[in-house]
Amino acid sequence: MELFQYLNEAVTPYHSVELAAAFLQEAGFVEQKLEEPFFPEPGGAYFVRIYGTGLAAYTVGAEFTPGDALYIAAAHTDYPCLRVKPKAELAAGEYKRLNVEAYGGAILNTWFDRPLSLAGRVVLRGETAYTPRLQTVDFKRPLLIVPNLAIHMNREVNKGVEYKPQRDLLPLLGMTGEEVKDSYFTGLLARELQVQAKDILDFDLSVYCTEPACLLGEQEEFISASRLDNQLSCYALLQAICSARHQRGLSMVVLYDHEEIGSRSKQGADSALTAGILERIYEGLGAKRQELQQAMAKGILLSVDAAHALHPSRQENYDPVNRAVLNQGVVLKINTSQRYAFDTETSAIVQMLCEEAGVLYQKFANHGDVAGGSTLGPIISSWLPMRAIDIGVPLLAMHSVRELAGRNDIRYLEQLLTRFFS
């Protein structure tokens, strides 16, 4: 699977997981079910979907023995966007709009005046109350737009304007007409899925930008795309787990949901999810709980997320010397308050892995007056007491509807992760 294909098609966490599952199956991974027992074997490769929007994939060394080191790398499938509310219909005079809310910390003004579409999951009536039918949907065409107010009516817009999602971010869907009813959105979904509107019980839908990923720059040295945070990391992890294999120990990739809103969900990092899956894997391999604890103590956890690249126009917002630059390598994110997971031993290990793989790397620390964001790393390592570090690809315009990465950096990240898993 090519990078741009993945970026263009992973429009929601549901689609990201479906793409990952297909990629893993093609690479020979066997699917397991959360609701069924795990029976892994040495030399095997497996994956499990986690409630539709998360996924864990792992390989067992051919010479596996309980207590061998555990290697985990994690990323997240969600991104800041607009999500459709349960009662989606809104009329404004002659216009039809969608009722949406902001998900995560989006840069709201970047959503204006762009071709937008809808994708996600729709839940249909099943044979029994406990067996609803689940179906993903992607309209795959420009369907919506959030129009700006003309400058003639908003003279202060270039001085900075506060946008309110409930007022300003409601996408325009079309014109009203005789067909406008409270259920017109359900009817739209029914036509797209070719089902009866009465069978649609619920949905989880995201608004996304339809503009495709592209290369740009004088030497095409940049990647411009939506959802680089954190689909670049998901893609690199999938490539690495499929192309490298430890002969001993267990290697694992986990793609979580809900990182952008705090990770506190059944498929988020701040849950018993990963620990429970690991216990089932090791029990299936005939290991004792104490041996799993040994494997964690010997192991390494990589939290792989986006990093802040130095902005050419706003360099005063960054630390004077601990900066990350596009196309200068993988970023090791350092924060003494543990907003990023790190310790000096793990940092040294990753630096040596980079050197062995011929990978450029750089270290980043926040400006002393700026708290910065948080990541999966500290959350996961609070559940799994392992040596851990946050790494990632530097981005400009993080959380914009389109973000910017260095073309070389994704290659460096793939090379490092492949080395980590081999």
Side-chain angles (χ1 to χ4, degrees):
M1 179 169 50
E2 297 296 326
L3 172 61
F4 280 16
Q5 176 194 353
Y6 182 83
L7 291 175
N8 292 335
E9 295 181 11
V11 292
T12 73
Y14 297 103
H15 292 81
S16 178
V17 168
E18 287 190 351
L19 285 166
F23 183 68
L24 291 165
Q25 285 175 326
E26 187 175 346
F29 282 65
V30 176
E31 182 168 8
Q32 299 175 313
K33 305 287 187 182
L34 269 182
E35 62 271 23
E36 297 175 359
F38 289 4
F39 296 107
E41 297 178 355
Y46 308 90
F47 75 93
V48 56
R49 303 179 209 230
I50 302 166
Y51 300 111
T53 59
L55 180 142
Y58 67 96
T59 61
V60 185
E63 301 173 13
F64 175 88
T65 56
D68 288 338
L70 172 62
Y71 303 89
I72 301 179
H76 63 89
T77 60
D78 62 325
Y79 67 100
C81 63
L82 305 176
R83 294 280 179 93
V84 182
K85 290 184 177 180
K87 189 170 179 58
E89 299 84 4
L90 279 177
E94 288 75 27
Y95 299 108
K96 284 193 284 190
R97 298 186 298 172
L98 279 190
N99 195 8
V100 300
E101 60 184 327
Y103 174 90
I107 303 178
L108 297 178
N109 63 7
T110 64
W111 285 82
F112 286 90
D113 305 321
R114 293 181 183 270
L116 306 173
S117 194
L118 279 172
R121 169 173 281 180
V122 179
V123 185
L124 304 171
R125 193 179 306 276
E127 292 184 2
T128 72
Y130 290 103
T131 58
R133 290 181 290 145
L134 310 176
Q135 193 164 340
T136 54
V137 62
D138 182 359
F139 282 79
K140 294 185 178 180
R141 63 184 184 274
L143 185 70
L144 307 162
I145 195 165
V146 181
N148 245 310
L149 184 63
I151 194 170
H152 313 79
M153 302 170 188
N154 191 15
R155 294 287 185 182
E156 303 298 306
V157 65
N158 291 324
K159 296 180 181 179
V161 173
E162 179 184 3
Y163 292 106
K164 296 183 179 297
Q166 190 63 61
R167 179 191 66 191
D168 302 311
L169 271 294
L170 302 179
L172 179 63
L173 176 61
M175 304 300 294
T176 57
E178 294 182 1
E179 82 284 1
V180 174
K181 303 173 183 176
D182 284 347
S183 59
Y184 75 73
F185 183 68
T186 305
L188 176 68
L189 283 178
R191 290 192 296 274
E192 188 68 21
L193 293 171
Q194 298 183 335
V195 299
Q196 296 294 317
K198 63 181 178 61
D199 288 334
I200 296 176
L201 299 176
D202 209 345
F203 53 77
D204 179 10
L205 298 171
S206 299
V207 177
Y208 73 91
C209 178
T210 62
E211 296 168 329
C214 68
L215 294 173
L216 57 81
E218 182 184 6
Q219 303 294 327
E220 294 190 331
E221 59 264 66
F222 304 122
I223 297 173
S224 172
S226 297
R227 303 173 295 279
L228 293 180
D229 176 14
N230 192 24
Q231 294 301 341
L232 274 183
S233 300
C234 294
Y235 178 83
L237 290 179
L238 292 169
Q239 293 286 346
I241 196 73
C242 288
S243 60
R245 190 73 62 91
H246 279 290
Q247 288 302 301
R248 300 176 64 86
L250 189 134
S251 300
M252 187 175 188
V253 159
V254 190
L255 308 182
Y256 295 97
D257 193 8
H258 298 144
E259 190 273 347
E260 299 293 356
I261 55 171
S263 295
R264 297 194 68 182
S265 69
K266 62 186 181 301
Q267 60 265 58
D270 196 6
S271 72
L273 167 74
T274 313
I277 289 176
L278 283 171
E279 287 174 2
R280 294 172 66 180
I281 292 170
Y282 275 78
E283 182 180 346
L285 288 166
K288 300 175 182 177
R289 182 178 177 83
Q290 183 179 134
E291 289 167 324
L292 170 57
Q293 299 294 330
Q294 287 178 269
M296 285 194 288
K298 295 175 184 176
I300 299 288
L301 165 66
L302 301 182
S303 169
V304 190
D305 205 341
H308 293 291
L310 179 66
H311 195 290
S313 302
R314 299 297 295 271
Q315 298 193 28
E316 70 276 7
N317 289 53
Y318 299 77
D319 183 85
V321 290
N322 295 286
R323 300 169 162 190
V325 179
L326 297 182
N327 285 314
Q328 295 301 306
V330 176
V331 178
L332 281 62
K333 299 190 281 187
I334 311 299
N335 184 277
T336 56
S337 298
Q338 290 292 313
R339 292 179 71 86
Y340 307 138
F342 94 100
D343 59 71
T344 53
E345 181 184 4
T346 313
S347 175
I349 290 170
V350 172
Q351 290 175 71
M352 288 187 285
L353 288 173
C354 286
E355 291 169 3
E356 291 174 3
V359 167
L360 294 181
Y361 66 88
Q362 47 193 327
K363 294 183 181 179
F364 171 86
N366 283 304
H367 187 289
D369 299 328
V370 178
S374 58
T375 66
L376 294 169
I379 296 172
I380 303 170
S381 59
S382 70
W383 285 91
L384 304 175
M386 299 173 64
R387 292 172 294 178
I389 188 168
D390 266 286
I391 64 170
V393 168
L395 298 183
L396 286 171
M398 190 186 296
H399 288 198
S400 170
V401 77
R402 281 186 78 88
E403 299 161 321
L404 192 72
R407 186 178 183 178
N408 291 337
D409 294 327
I410 181 63
R411 174 169 54 85
Y412 291 135
L413 181 61
E414 287 182 34
Q415 290 173 336
L416 170 59
L417 292 171
T418 300
R419 184 64 182 171
F420 176 68
F421 284 132
S422 60

